[in-house]
PDB file of all heavy atoms in Angstrom:
ATOM      1  N   VAL A  67      -8.396   3.628   9.958  1.00 93.00           N
ATOM      2  CA  VAL A  67      -8.451   4.228  11.294  1.00 93.00           C
ATOM      3  C   VAL A  67      -8.495   3.113  12.332  1.00 93.00           C
ATOM      4  O   VAL A  67      -8.707   1.942  12.000  1.00 93.00           O
ATOM      5  CB  VAL A  67      -9.681   5.153  11.431  1.00 93.00           C
ATOM      6  CG1 VAL A  67      -9.628   6.312  10.436  1.00 93.00           C
ATOM      7  CG2 VAL A  67     -10.979   4.382  11.273  1.00 93.00           C
ATOM      8  N   ASP A  68      -8.338   3.484  13.594  1.00 94.00           N
ATOM      9  CA  ASP A  68      -8.452   2.483  14.655  1.00 94.00           C
ATOM     10  C   ASP A  68      -9.937   2.208  14.919  1.00 94.00           C
ATOM     11  O   ASP A  68     -10.829   2.902  14.429  1.00 94.00           O
ATOM     12  CB  ASP A  68      -7.715   2.918  15.920  1.00 94.00           C
ATOM     13  CG  ASP A  68      -8.241   4.200  16.543  1.00 94.00           C
ATOM     14  OD1 ASP A  68      -9.457   4.491  16.440  1.00 94.00           O
ATOM     15  OD2 ASP A  68      -7.443   4.928  17.149  1.00 94.00           O
ATOM     16  N   ALA A  69     -10.213   1.168  15.711  1.00 95.00           N
ATOM     17  CA  ALA A  69     -11.586   0.726  15.956  1.00 95.00           C
ATOM     18  C   ALA A  69     -12.439   1.807  16.618  1.00 95.00           C
ATOM     19  O   ALA A  69     -13.622   1.959  16.285  1.00 95.00           O
ATOM     20  CB  ALA A  69     -11.581  -0.544  16.800  1.00 95.00           C
ATOM     21  N   LYS A  70     -11.866   2.569  17.540  1.00 96.00           N
ATOM     22  CA  LYS A  70     -12.618   3.630  18.221  1.00 96.00           C
ATOM     23  C   LYS A  70     -13.053   4.701  17.224  1.00 96.00           C
ATOM     24  O   LYS A  70     -14.216   5.101  17.192  1.00 96.00           O
ATOM     25  CB  LYS A  70     -11.775   4.240  19.331  1.00 96.00           C
ATOM     26  CG  LYS A  70     -12.464   5.353  20.105  1.00 96.00           C
ATOM     27  CD  LYS A  70     -11.546   5.914  21.192  1.00 96.00           C
ATOM     28  CE  LYS A  70     -12.193   7.002  22.017  1.00 96.00           C
ATOM     29  NZ  LYS A  70     -12.467   8.213  21.295  1.00 96.00           N
ATOM     30  N   ARG A  71     -12.126   5.166  16.416  1.00 95.00           N
ATOM     31  CA  ARG A  71     -12.471   6.204  15.436  1.00 95.00           C
ATOM     32  C   ARG A  71     -13.455   5.659  14.407  1.00 95.00           C
ATOM     33  O   ARG A  71     -14.361   6.370  13.972  1.00 95.00           O
ATOM     34  CB  ARG A  71     -11.226   6.758  14.754  1.00 95.00           C
ATOM     35  CG  ARG A  71     -11.599   7.866  13.763  1.00 95.00           C
ATOM     36  CD  ARG A  71     -10.422   8.587  13.212  1.00 95.00           C
ATOM     37  NE  ARG A  71      -9.983   9.589  14.173  1.00 95.00           N
ATOM     38  CZ  ARG A  71      -8.957  10.391  13.958  1.00 95.00           C
ATOM     39  NH1 ARG A  71      -8.253  10.294  12.852  1.00 95.00           N
ATOM     40  NH2 ARG A  71      -8.618  11.279  14.851  1.00 95.00           N
ATOM     41  N   PHE A  72     -13.298   4.396  14.028  1.00 97.00           N
ATOM     42  CA  PHE A  72     -14.230   3.795  13.071  1.00 97.00           C
ATOM     43  C   PHE A  72     -15.659   3.850  13.623  1.00 97.00           C
ATOM     44  O   PHE A  72     -16.593   4.263  12.927  1.00 97.00           O
ATOM     45  CB  PHE A  72     -13.837   2.350  12.753  1.00 97.00           C
ATOM     46  CG  PHE A  72     -14.772   1.692  11.785  1.00 97.00           C
ATOM     47  CD1 PHE A  72     -14.666   1.932  10.421  1.00 97.00           C
ATOM     48  CD2 PHE A  72     -15.778   0.856  12.233  1.00 97.00           C
ATOM     49  CE1 PHE A  72     -15.548   1.342   9.531  1.00 97.00           C
ATOM     50  CE2 PHE A  72     -16.664   0.257  11.350  1.00 97.00           C
ATOM     51  CZ  PHE A  72     -16.545   0.500   9.988  1.00 97.00           C
ATOM     52  N   ALA A  73     -15.828   3.440  14.874  1.00 97.00           N
ATOM     53  CA  ALA A  73     -17.151   3.475  15.494  1.00 97.00           C
ATOM     54  C   ALA A  73     -17.705   4.895  15.519  1.00 97.00           C
ATOM     55  O   ALA A  73     -18.904   5.110  15.287  1.00 97.00           O
ATOM     56  CB  ALA A  73     -17.080   2.901  16.911  1.00 97.00           C
ATOM     57  N   GLU A  74     -16.847   5.883  15.770  1.00 97.00           N
ATOM     58  CA  GLU A  74     -17.275   7.281  15.789  1.00 97.00           C
ATOM     59  C   GLU A  74     -17.702   7.744  14.397  1.00 97.00           C
ATOM     60  O   GLU A  74     -18.679   8.485  14.252  1.00 97.00           O
ATOM     61  CB  GLU A  74     -16.149   8.163  16.327  1.00 97.00           C
ATOM     62  CG  GLU A  74     -15.871   7.930  17.804  1.00 97.00           C
ATOM     63  CD  GLU A  74     -14.568   8.562  18.283  1.00 97.00           C
ATOM     64  OE1 GLU A  74     -13.762   9.018  17.439  1.00 97.00           O
ATOM     65  OE2 GLU A  74     -14.356   8.584  19.513  1.00 97.00           O
ATOM     66  N   VAL A  75     -16.981   7.303  13.357  1.00 97.00           N
ATOM     67  CA  VAL A  75     -17.359   7.646  11.977  1.00 97.00           C
ATOM     68  C   VAL A  75     -18.736   7.086  11.667  1.00 97.00           C
ATOM     69  O   VAL A  75     -19.602   7.788  11.126  1.00 97.00           O
ATOM     70  CB  VAL A  75     -16.299   7.129  10.974  1.00 97.00           C
ATOM     71  CG1 VAL A  75     -16.830   7.145   9.542  1.00 97.00           C
ATOM     72  CG2 VAL A  75     -15.021   7.949  11.074  1.00 97.00           C
ATOM     73  N   VAL A  76     -18.975   5.824  12.012  1.00 98.00           N
ATOM     74  CA  VAL A  76     -20.277   5.207  11.764  1.00 98.00           C
ATOM     75  C   VAL A  76     -21.372   5.966  12.514  1.00 98.00           C
ATOM     76  O   VAL A  76     -22.444   6.248  11.955  1.00 98.00           O
ATOM     77  CB  VAL A  76     -20.264   3.708  12.131  1.00 98.00           C
ATOM     78  CG1 VAL A  76     -21.665   3.112  12.066  1.00 98.00           C
ATOM     79  CG2 VAL A  76     -19.310   2.941  11.211  1.00 98.00           C
ATOM     80  N   GLU A  77     -21.114   6.333  13.759  1.00 98.00           N
ATOM     81  CA  GLU A  77     -22.100   7.100  14.538  1.00 98.00           C
ATOM     82  C   GLU A  77     -22.412   8.432  13.870  1.00 98.00           C
ATOM     83  O   GLU A  77     -23.576   8.852  13.813  1.00 98.00           O
ATOM     84  CB  GLU A  77     -21.582   7.339  15.957  1.00 98.00           C
ATOM     85  CG  GLU A  77     -21.592   6.107  16.821  1.00 98.00           C
ATOM     86  CD  GLU A  77     -20.937   6.340  18.180  1.00 98.00           C
ATOM     87  OE1 GLU A  77     -20.657   7.507  18.535  1.00 98.00           O
ATOM     88  OE2 GLU A  77     -20.700   5.348  18.887  1.00 98.00           O
ATOM     89  N   ARG A  78     -21.383   9.121  13.367  1.00 98.00           N
ATOM     90  CA  ARG A  78     -21.610  10.417  12.711  1.00 98.00           C
ATOM     91  C   ARG A  78     -22.385  10.240  11.404  1.00 98.00           C
ATOM     92  O   ARG A  78     -23.260  11.053  11.076  1.00 98.00           O
ATOM     93  CB  ARG A  78     -20.295  11.144  12.493  1.00 98.00           C
ATOM     94  CG  ARG A  78     -19.734  11.747  13.779  1.00 98.00           C
ATOM     95  CD  ARG A  78     -18.547  12.647  13.526  1.00 98.00           C
ATOM     96  NE  ARG A  78     -17.339  11.920  13.249  1.00 98.00           N
ATOM     97  CZ  ARG A  78     -16.480  11.470  14.159  1.00 98.00           C
ATOM     98  NH1 ARG A  78     -16.694  11.672  15.441  1.00 98.00           N
ATOM     99  NH2 ARG A  78     -15.388  10.837  13.792  1.00 98.00           N
ATOM    100  N   LEU A  79     -22.070   9.197  10.638  1.00 98.00           N
ATOM    101  CA  LEU A  79     -22.823   8.924   9.405  1.00 98.00           C
ATOM    102  C   LEU A  79     -24.296   8.699   9.737  1.00 98.00           C
ATOM    103  O   LEU A  79     -25.180   9.245   9.066  1.00 98.00           O
ATOM    104  CB  LEU A  79     -22.247   7.713   8.674  1.00 98.00           C
ATOM    105  CG  LEU A  79     -20.884   7.907   8.014  1.00 98.00           C
ATOM    106  CD1 LEU A  79     -20.295   6.571   7.597  1.00 98.00           C
ATOM    107  CD2 LEU A  79     -20.992   8.845   6.820  1.00 98.00           C
ATOM    108  N   GLN A  80     -24.557   7.917  10.771  1.00 98.00           N
ATOM    109  CA  GLN A  80     -25.939   7.658  11.180  1.00 98.00           C
ATOM    110  C   GLN A  80     -26.615   8.937  11.657  1.00 98.00           C
ATOM    111  O   GLN A  80     -27.759   9.215  11.278  1.00 98.00           O
ATOM    112  CB  GLN A  80     -25.977   6.593  12.274  1.00 98.00           C
ATOM    113  CG  GLN A  80     -25.578   5.226  11.774  1.00 98.00           C
ATOM    114  CD  GLN A  80     -25.373   4.221  12.890  1.00 98.00           C
ATOM    115  OE1 GLN A  80     -24.993   4.584  14.010  1.00 98.00           O
ATOM    116  NE2 GLN A  80     -25.613   2.948  12.589  1.00 98.00           N
ATOM    117  N   ALA A  81     -25.931   9.727  12.478  1.00 97.00           N
ATOM    118  CA  ALA A  81     -26.511  10.963  13.025  1.00 97.00           C
ATOM    119  C   ALA A  81     -26.854  11.948  11.918  1.00 97.00           C
ATOM    120  O   ALA A  81     -27.866  12.656  12.004  1.00 97.00           O
ATOM    121  CB  ALA A  81     -25.554  11.595  14.035  1.00 97.00           C
ATOM    122  N   GLU A  82     -26.023  12.003  10.884  1.00 96.00           N
ATOM    123  CA  GLU A  82     -26.275  12.934   9.771  1.00 96.00           C
ATOM    124  C   GLU A  82     -27.138  12.311   8.679  1.00 96.00           C
ATOM    125  O   GLU A  82     -27.378  12.934   7.655  1.00 96.00           O
ATOM    126  CB  GLU A  82     -24.942  13.431   9.188  1.00 96.00           C
ATOM    127  CG  GLU A  82     -24.202  14.327  10.142  1.00 96.00           C
ATOM    128  CD  GLU A  82     -23.183  15.217   9.465  1.00 96.00           C
ATOM    129  OE1 GLU A  82     -23.348  15.530   8.260  1.00 96.00           O
ATOM    130  OE2 GLU A  82     -22.226  15.609  10.144  1.00 96.00           O
TER     131      GLU A  82
END
Side-chain angles (χ1 to χ4, degrees):
V67 299
D68 61 31
K70 180 180 181 293
R71 182 171 279 180
F72 179 80
E74 292 167 349
V75 165
V76 172
E77 287 174 11
R78 285 189 284 273
L79 289 168
Q80 291 170 330
E82 291 201 26

